[in-house]
């Protein structure tokens, strides 16, 4: 798990993690009170406030709920993971390559390896040259997880991956996982960019966005994260996702959500 350097000692920052049994419970207990607290003076603040959700549909649902209550969301920015990443990467000196550019570079690397004397390496290169998307997806998942391809017993693909990494360096690109981790490291040592941040709707299926969401938390003076309780026979992945925000080096005190059944930790409050 990533180790995040402690923030500036002169700055205090609050992060609250809520885990609710359903979105409706989260809306009444956490999300609606958050809007009521933040909206009145959001437009007056120097730094923007964000609501981060997985999809545009979820953002539109929150907006519709606010409109139904007669509340204005003036000054509040609703974002998906993609728009948040675009916002945070505007001044990135080493940007993540686009999917199209990465596929092209991987196909070029594979085509250069098709005549390798080792038959297994040549066959692997030909397969990647014809369909680079599968290997690219695997490399991106490994990068996000912090693994190196060389640690895996896939020697036939090693020449292609090595050449691909060389082309990435020559073009000044990095994979998205590397870019997100760099962004988190810079955020831990940088200035606050957001006033209040609400993150809701994400679950264990969104592990690739973990570093991105963690960066938004690092850049906020006040952050609230709402997760939904895994249902049924939840997996270790879901439990790890719920427990991941508590890994930072922070002081903490435990609270319990009133409507959430007891399955491990339900509500943590962190003061950074």
């Amino acid at each position: 798990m990533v180790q995040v350097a402690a923030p500036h000692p002169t700055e205090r920052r609050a992060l609250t993690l809520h885990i609710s049994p359903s979105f409706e419970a989260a809306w009444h207990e956490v999300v609606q009170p958050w809007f009521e607290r933040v909206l009145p003076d959001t437009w007056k603040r120097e730094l923007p406030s964000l609501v981060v959700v997985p999809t545009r549909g979820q953002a539109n649902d929150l907006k519709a709920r606010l409109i139904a209550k007669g509340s204005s969301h003036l000054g509040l920015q609703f974002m998906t993971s993609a728009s948040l990443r675009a916002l945070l990467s505007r001044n990135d000196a080493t940007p993540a390559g686009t999917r199209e550019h990465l596929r092209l570079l991987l196909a070029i690397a594979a085509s250069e390896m098709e005549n390798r004397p080792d038959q297994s390496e040549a066959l692997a290169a030909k397969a990647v040259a014809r369909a680079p998307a599968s290997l690219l997806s695997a490399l991106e998942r490994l990068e996000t997880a912090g693994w190196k391809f060389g640690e895996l017993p896939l020697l036939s693909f090693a020449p292609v991956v090595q050449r691909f990494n060389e082309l990435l360096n020559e073009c000044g690109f990095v994979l998205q996982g590397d870019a997100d981790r760099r962004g988190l490291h810079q955020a831990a040592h940088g200035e606050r960019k957001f006033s209040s941040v609400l993150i809701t709707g994400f679950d264990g299926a969104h592990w690739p966005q973990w570093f991105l969401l963690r960066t938004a938390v690092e850049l906020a003076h006040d952050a609230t994260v709402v997760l939904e309780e895994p249902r049924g026979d939840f997996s270790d992945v879901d439990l790890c996702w719920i427990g991941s925000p508590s890994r930072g080096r922070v002081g903490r005190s435990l609270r319990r959500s009133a409507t959430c059944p007891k399955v491990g930790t339900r509500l943590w409050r962190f003061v950074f």
Side-chain angles (χ1 to χ4, degrees), residues 8 11 185-192 218-219:
H8 301 297
E11 297 185 34
H185 178 74
Q186 294 171 0
H189 297 83
E191 299 178 351
R192 304 287 181 258
E218 284 287 340
L219 293 173

Side-chain angles (χ1 to χ4, degrees), residues 83-138:
S83 55
L84 175 62
R85 180 173 282 118
L87 174 66
L88 297 180
S89 63
R90 285 178 179 175
N91 300 319
D92 195 346
T94 308
T98 65
R99 188 76 177 175
E100 293 76 14
H101 290 160
L102 295 178
R103 278 201 303 265
L104 176 61
L105 292 179
L106 185 55
I108 293 173
S111 65
E112 294 178 359
M113 300 293 124
E114 289 183 352
N115 297 321
R116 299 277 297 184
D118 186 291
Q119 184 177 7
S120 63
E121 293 178 354
L123 290 175
K126 290 178 181 179
V128 175
R130 292 188 181 94
S134 296
L135 181 57
L136 178 58
S137 296

Side-chain angles (χ1 to χ4, degrees), residues 11-253:
E11 297 185 34
R12 293 185 64 80
R13 175 181 41 150
L15 162 64
T16 309
L17 170 65
H18 300 262
I19 300 178
S20 297
S22 66
F23 176 76
E24 286 302 321
W27 168 258
H28 292 293
E29 290 188 8
V30 183
V31 178
Q32 182 175 323
W34 185 89
F35 282 122
E36 293 173 350
R37 174 175 62 86
V38 172
L39 281 176
D41 60 349
T42 296
W43 62 277
K44 303 176 185 178
R45 297 180 183 178
E46 181 179 356
L47 297 177
S49 293
L50 308 181
V51 176
V52 185
V53 292
T55 66
R56 291 182 180 273
Q58 288 163 299
N60 291 335
D61 177 68
L62 291 176
K63 291 178 182 179
R65 288 171 181 262
L66 291 176
I67 293 173
K69 289 180 61 62
S71 301
S72 170
H73 49 79
L74 178 66
L76 193 62
Q77 300 183 30
F78 289 79
M79 293 191 164
T80 62
S81 299
S83 55
L84 175 62
R85 180 173 282 118
L87 174 66
L88 297 180
S89 63
R90 285 178 179 175
N91 300 319
D92 195 346
T94 308
T98 65
R99 188 76 177 175
E100 293 76 14
H101 290 160
L102 295 178
R103 278 201 303 265
L104 176 61
L105 292 179
L106 185 55
I108 293 173
S111 65
E112 294 178 359
M113 300 293 124
E114 289 183 352
N115 297 321
R116 299 277 297 184
D118 186 291
Q119 184 177 7
S120 63
E121 293 178 354
L123 290 175
K126 290 178 181 179
V128 175
R130 292 188 181 94
S134 296
L135 181 57
L136 178 58
S137 296
L139 292 174
E140 289 177 329
R141 290 196 295 270
L142 289 170
E143 185 67 38
T144 301
W147 284 63
K148 298 300 181 184
F149 187 84
E151 299 173 357
L152 303 179
L154 299 173
L155 300 180
S156 298
F157 293 90
V160 174
V161 175
Q162 180 179 352
R163 179 55 182 154
F164 174 62
N165 289 331
E166 293 173 354
L167 292 175
L168 283 179
N169 291 332
E170 293 174 11
C171 295
F173 290 150
V174 295
L175 295 179
Q176 191 62 67
D178 189 12
D180 288 345
R181 282 203 306 276
R182 292 185 185 187
L184 175 57
H185 178 74
Q186 294 171 0
H189 297 83
E191 299 178 351
R192 304 287 181 258
K193 294 185 178 180
F194 309 125
S195 178
S196 296
V197 170
L198 171 65
I199 298 175
T200 184
F202 294 88
D203 55 30
H206 298 99
W207 268 110
Q209 281 81 53
W210 190 91
F211 291 101
L212 176 68
L213 300 177
R214 189 69 178 83
T215 300
V217 169
E218 284 287 340
L219 293 173
H221 285 285
D222 173 32
T224 299
V225 180
V226 183
L227 304 178
E228 186 171 336
E229 177 72 22
R231 299 179 181 178
D233 52 346
F234 51 83
S235 66
D236 291 342
V237 173
D238 295 311
L239 292 180
C240 288
W241 174 262
I242 289 175
S244 61
S246 66
R247 298 294 197 269
R249 291 179 281 182
V250 296
R252 58 200 180 195
S253 60

